[in-house]
Amino acid sequence: MGELKDRYIRFDWAIKRLLRQKANFDVLEGFLTVFLNEKITIDEILESESNQLSAEDKFNRVDIKARNDKGEIIIIEIQNTRELYYLERILYGVAKAITEHMQLGDTYNQVKKVYSISILYFDIGQGADFLYHGQNTFWGVHTKDRLYIRTKERDAIVTRLPADIFPEYILIRVNEFNKNAVTPLEEWMRYLKDGVIREGTTAPGLGQAREKLKYYSMSTEERHAYDEHINAIMIQNDVLDTAKLEGRAEGLVEGRAEGLAEGRAEGLAEGQLLERKKTARNLKAMGVAEDVIMQATGLSAEEMAEL
């Protein structure tokens, strides 16, 4: 029961508010060391357009961009709700990170390797594992051998794999984890899924997280903001799940008369809007502030005025 005594902050909130501080890099470094399977040391947190604390980020992504002691770039994103073109978006994010950190006139040896880590709380597709790793490796079509390349490094010619240069992608499917937490990786997965950190853990970063990510260590104001964040995520997921079911049903009915594909799309859109308005009315009746309702449901000020 000792492991349930303390309540720990969700990792997405920690990334937004706490893990950008140098004093807390040890938590972030432990996480990266476990999931990248090599010792990672963070030199600095980098800022970009994707590091905004906007209302959209609250639901769609929370990301942090860091540079390690090798000069490589690491992007961490947490996705709480479904996104249709998620793989395309992380590809764009990696490409943008590469170009953001090059100056006009730089030679191509200034291109930095990028690690993209996605922590997903939705079903991105089919697959039995909770952890997927994508890496560029070039194989001979006929010879089946791996291609090595030669590059100049510190005035010497060295042989490297393309994977040493090309981006790597890590997809963490949190909801698919259902094992007993024995290894450091499994302990981190249990924290990401259930918010539980075992007392006496030796998993890199988790011992520090037990001390630095305690819910009751936050001020009353910080706890209130955190609780609003959690409630908003729950409401948003409920809205999307309900709208998906209702929209699909309405879409199927309309689709028989006007075309199945078009009916599904229109039904889904209408179902989403109706459900968001229904949720907004309920929250308004409970006395929830309008700005919070708008963040939770995505309704505009004009749509709120119509309720």
Side-chain angles (χ1 to χ4, degrees):
M1 294 297 292
E3 64 182 14
L4 302 177
K5 179 177 62 177
D6 294 314
R7 177 182 174 187
Y8 299 100
I9 304 165
R10 275 175 57 113
F11 199 55
D12 57 351
W13 188 263
I15 279 182
K16 262 189 174 182
R17 306 289 175 129
L18 300 174
L19 300 187
R20 297 174 184 272
Q21 302 167 14
K22 195 171 184 63
N24 296 330
F25 279 6
D26 49 2
V27 177
L28 189 59
E29 288 171 344
F31 167 81
L32 294 171
T33 294
V34 168
F35 281 91
L36 295 180
N37 199 29
E38 63 174 293
K39 181 69 173 71
I40 300 294
T41 301
I42 297 298
D43 269 1
E44 61 176 326
I45 300 298
L46 304 170
E47 292 303 324
S48 71
E49 293 177 8
S50 60
N51 289 133
Q52 297 171 359
L53 300 180
S54 66
E56 290 77 14
D57 280 343
K58 180 177 291 186
F59 305 120
N60 297 330
R61 67 181 181 275
V62 179
D63 54 21
I64 193 167
K65 186 165 68 170
R67 193 197 314 270
N68 66 14
D69 57 352
K70 298 177 184 177
E72 299 166 331
I73 299 169
I74 300 169
I75 301 171
I76 304 173
E77 293 191 353
I78 300 179
Q79 185 79 5
N80 288 306
T81 57
R82 296 175 182 86
E83 185 169 330
L84 188 59
Y85 298 108
Y86 186 73
L87 290 182
E88 289 85 347
R89 188 169 70 71
I90 62 174
L91 174 61
Y92 173 79
V94 166
K96 188 174 182 182
I98 293 172
T99 56
E100 276 182 341
H101 296 281
M102 287 191 69
Q103 303 295 323
L104 186 64
D106 281 351
T107 57
Y108 289 118
N109 70 327
Q110 298 300 313
V111 171
K112 300 301 182 184
K113 182 179 176 69
V114 177
Y115 296 89
S116 174
I117 302 174
S118 297
I119 304 172
L120 307 175
Y121 287 88
F122 70 100
D123 186 7
I124 195 172
Q126 295 181 338
D129 210 329
F130 60 84
L131 182 65
Y132 285 86
H133 180 205
Q135 190 175 30
N136 290 80
T137 302
F138 292 81
W139 293 93
V141 174
H142 303 98
T143 60
K144 308 303 179 186
D145 65 317
R146 285 204 298 183
L147 174 68
Y148 288 82
I149 57 174
R150 293 185 178 90
T151 62
K152 188 174 182 180
E153 191 172 288
R154 297 187 180 89
D155 296 323
I157 301 298
V158 298
T159 301
R160 304 168 70 183
L161 284 168
D164 296 326
I165 300 171
F166 280 79
E168 291 186 35
Y169 301 88
I170 308 290
L171 299 180
I172 303 170
R173 302 169 73 214
V174 178
N175 294 338
E176 299 302 314
F177 178 74
N178 55 9
K179 301 174 65 176
N180 291 327
V182 177
T183 68
L185 175 62
E186 291 165 351
E187 288 195 62
W188 264 102
M189 289 300 304
R190 190 181 185 199
Y191 164 58
L192 293 176
K193 184 175 183 179
D194 302 320
V196 173
I197 304 176
R198 178 176 61 83
E199 186 175 3
T201 180
T202 58
L206 280 184
Q208 295 88 336
R210 275 184 62 90
E211 299 302 318
K212 298 178 178 181
L213 303 185
K214 289 182 179 178
Y215 174 79
Y216 290 105
S217 294
M218 294 192 293
S219 67
T220 302
E221 182 180 358
E222 289 172 332
R223 288 201 301 270
H224 175 73
Y226 176 76
D227 290 341
E228 290 291 328
H229 168 74
I230 299 301
N231 289 337
I233 289 175
M234 293 175 64
I235 292 169
Q236 183 77 355
N237 282 325
D238 183 60
V239 167
L240 292 175
D241 288 342
T242 304
K244 182 180 178 182
L245 293 173
E246 293 186 357
R248 182 179 294 166
E250 292 182 24
L252 286 171
V253 172
E254 292 184 19
R256 291 190 182 98
E258 301 177 8
L260 189 60
E262 183 180 351
R264 276 178 174 165
E266 291 181 359
L268 177 59
E270 184 178 350
Q272 288 176 333
L273 181 59
L274 289 173
E275 187 59 30
R276 286 187 288 137
K277 286 184 175 180
K278 178 182 176 182
T279 302
R281 290 191 191 96
N282 292 338
L283 293 173
K284 192 173 182 179
M286 294 165 59
V288 177
E290 283 203 6
D291 60 334
V292 175
I293 297 175
M294 289 168 64
Q295 288 184 359
T297 62
L299 293 179
S300 65
E302 291 75 15
E303 289 168 329
M304 287 292 299
E306 294 173 358
L307 297 179

